[in-house]
Amino acid sequence: MTRPDPSPTTVFAPWDDPDEPPLIRFDNVTKRFGDFTAISGLTLDIYAREFFALLGPSGCGKTTLMRMLAGFETPSEGVISLGGQDIGPVPPNKRPVNMMFQSYALFPHLSVADNIAFGLKRSGNMTRQQISARVDEMLELVQLGKFGKRKPHQISGGQRQRVALARALAKAPKLLLLDEPLAALDKKLRAETQFELMDIQEKLGTTFVIVTHDQEEAMTVASRVAVMDHGRLVQVATPERIYEFPNSRYVADFIGEVNLLDGAVLRKTKAGLTISWAEGQPPIAAQGPEDLQKGANCTFAIRPEKITISSDKPEGCANALSGRVLDIGYLGNISTYHVELANGQVIKAQMANNRRLSRRAFSWDDEVWLSFTDSAGVVLTA
Amino acid sequence: MNLRRLALIAVPYGWLLLLFLVPFGIVLKISLSDQALAIPPYTPTFDLAGGWAGIKSFFTGLDLENFTYLTTDNLYWKAYLSSVWIATLSTLLTLLAGYPIAYAMARARPEWRPTLMMLVILPFWTSFLIRIYAWIGILGQTGYLNQLLLWSGLISKPLVILNTPVAVYIGIIYAYLPFMVLPIYATLEKLDSDLLEAAEDLGCSRFSAFWLVTFPLSRPGVIAGCFLVFIPVVGEFVIPSLLGGSRTLMIGKVLWDEFFSNRDWPTASAVAVVLLLILIVPIILFQRHQQRQQELDA
Amino acid sequence: MSRRFSWFNATSLTLGFVFLYLPITILVIYSFNSSKLVTVWAGFSTKWYGVLFRDQAYLDAAVITLKVALVSSTLATILGTMAAWVLVRAGRFRGRTLFSGMIYAPLVVPDVITGLSLLLLFIALGLNRGIGTIILAHATFSMCYVSVVVSSRLVSFDQSLEEAALDLGCSPFDAFRSVTLPIIAPAVVSGWLLSFTLSLDDLVISTFASGPSATTLPMKIYSQVRLGLNPEINALSTILISLVTIGVIASSLISKRASVRRQRQEQQALAQS
């Protein structure tokens, strides 16, 4: 997910620019609750105008990380700085950071407009006219112009979500935190809202940090994704790199569907690696890290959509495995085939249903060939 | 089934009609009668044996004389006013005392809350009379409070507290505190802590977050607590009788004296009818408030 | 709401509980005072307990009070449970509004009015006032408390359980007895306990409803207390307070143990699955 910078010739990638100062810097931050370590020795830079996603299963520390940014938790060790300034001692009500809560936390006794005005009234340097103009502007931004006078229980879930967003954005914070912002919406509304969020972020240029356990959501909205596990960062990269070049079994498995084949390096040449992985199966030809030695243990990861299914053995393909169709999952736009190899290993392969076939190309128990190029998968060592 | 259903409805219905509604009819009727040196001490009595003439003389014997009497004698309207005033002030004082307790309970660790709640309810299970009696020993001229204050040198002469309105206020706050604490605690406990974090995130200090978010959202509990204290206190008898002395005028005590000491049943009944009329407004308001809350919760 | 517990919170809790418990504590301590002057400590003694137990009037009053409480609370529980069922499950019928009004009104009508009106009824009916009329009076106001407690349980209870019983061949009455009643039993029991305590505690209504033949313990206490402090009353109060405290703590321990056992069983079930 790259987005246009003011100058159309460069892509938005401040993380690749060594001269660009980060907006937020976590420097060796650790957070403990009693005996439990929620975050351990974490170092991370987030840049201005980024849409940054913290992704991981529940309990991985992503929410703690966000709460430290909002000021509701203070790090046990390490420094968090915003714009080069340590924000550890700054209480939440004095930070130029606003948060959109997972529960939305809309004040039930205040109208939609009063909810949005709540933070503006606290800042103390705005006249009543300025506040009401700003509220109108925010209502317009989230397309709720007519709903200002309603109470939170008089609007729909999707509308509440937008009020929460407007309220958090009203004070024009340097940083907006979104805690599972779309978790309470149904699937279709969630997909639409993801694009709205991206539009608003692009329009305002505010830095967004989103916490989510939904990998699809993170991939859709974020400029960069940080995958977390047990209080550590596993990989921080753009969605494409996270998907195509996961750095570990954990990331490959967490994001999308993947086939993981454990094996060892059989041969190593300039052109690439050969991995032996199962008795009676041909070794896999793949591209891999240079430092991998012959005989080293490794895992070959390949996404189902990178595998082609055919009834005859394909010519000139780097890898070809034969098996039998075990199961077919029809998902509309694509179908997933579970193919069992002679050694019992089940491989998932996906094919786009780009033609309206009354008759499927392959059926249960068909003998098929699975093929993929030597650059289709990645070799993982962690 | 239908017969059973009918029986199930009829038994409690009949019971309440006979022992709750009919008695009120009798009170109303006697309040319209005249005092008499007889047993029972009022006229007219219902004389069915007299036939139509009996019924007619019964109704012509009824009048509003007792109610006019209530307006002419200062004692009664002063007693009504003073009861309502004492109830209002003591409700406010109970709120001031009860809110911080409820607030602290709601902020205590969840595993402590059932115990705290039990500690608030426990005095409610012990005899009301005894709890009020305990204050006689504390507030009297030679009571524990005066002993303590004299010993500490803060005062040189014992304070007169017992048999004054102050003692009544203390007794009311003491006896009715749980009724204030529990409904407020119930609303505060439900309060989503995200709302307070959101308020702080939007620039509130903790103090202003309390006034802008916590307090407005605890209002249903505050209102319920105030009604639960105010309504019974207006008709309270035991507390003014034991702690208030002759200087505290409350209508419950006036009614009691009218009935047991003066044996003036018609006046006592008229006092009761007016007291009920005074209480009907807050009772209806309270019912409507509770209903609205239930609908909002649902 | 569970956030930082501040000094202010700790202070208000401490002061609140001191206020609630100090008077009772002093009362209990001074019941062991040997002096006849209640507020002047003259050394430890249990003599007032001896005096109390030899005082036949107190014993008689205690017996009457217990009889009244046992009978009236049982009556109130039966009537109150029926009334709760009528409120929640009987559907619409003529006079339902009046009925629910009569259930809730006694909770807020001052005791002096309830007492007065019942007395006038008993006289009009020509009933001999005594234990019987006190029981009738107590059962009447207690049944309202019972029906409030039980109906709140009935409302929260899943009606599909009753429907399942009907589906499996129960008559509506069987369904109530074999499904509904066991489930609302805790509320029925706490309704009974509440009635029992209310009856033990009542002074005003008893005074109106009783004749010269029956004096309950609160009436006896009130007649003594009106005359001022009395060491016998301190001893009696201590006994009553201890009984109630033991009762409440025991019942809360029993219910806590039941919930702990239930939790453990649920955990075991989870672990086995």
Side-chain angles (χ1 to χ4, degrees), chain C residues 117-244:
Chain C
S117 64
L118 280 167
L119 170 59
L120 295 177
L121 172 81
F122 295 146
I123 290 171
L125 292 176
L127 288 179
N128 266 333
R129 281 176 291 140
I131 292 191
T133 47
I134 305 179
I135 288 174
L136 286 181
H138 285 195
T140 305
F141 72 78
S142 295
M143 75 174 273
C144 302
Y145 286 90
V146 174
S147 72
V148 168
V149 173
V150 173
S151 63
S152 72
R153 180 83 182 116
L154 268 179
V155 166
S156 67
F157 147 105
D158 182 3
Q159 202 163 351
S160 61
L161 292 176
E162 254 173 28
E163 287 165 356
L166 294 175
D167 183 61
L168 295 167
C170 276
S171 73
F173 186 72
D174 281 343
F176 182 80
R177 206 188 45 196
S178 57
V179 177
T180 314
L181 205 54
I183 292 175
I184 62 169
V188 173
V189 170
S190 50
W192 188 87
L193 282 173
L194 185 61
S195 310
F196 189 76
T197 341
L198 287 169
S199 171
L200 285 185
D201 208 16
D202 174 66
L203 165 72
V204 176
I205 294 174
S206 304
T207 309
F208 277 103
S210 79
S213 64
T215 303
T216 64
L217 206 50
M219 285 160 72
K220 175 76 186 151
I221 294 173
Y222 177 71
S223 67
Q224 292 296 311
V225 163
R226 227 164 31 139
L227 306 173
L229 297 167
N230 177 331
E232 272 181 83
I233 299 286
N234 277 26
L236 177 61
S237 308
T238 305
I239 293 171
L240 292 178
I241 291 167
S242 326
L243 287 178
V244 166

Side-chain angles (χ1 to χ4, degrees), chain B residues 27 31 70 254-256 258-259 264-273, chain C residues 116:
Chain B
V27 171
S31 73
L70 290 193
V254 169
L255 192 153
W256 180 284
E258 210 60 67
F259 192 86
D264 186 349
W265 293 17
T267 308
S269 298
V271 168
V273 169
Chain C
L116 175 72

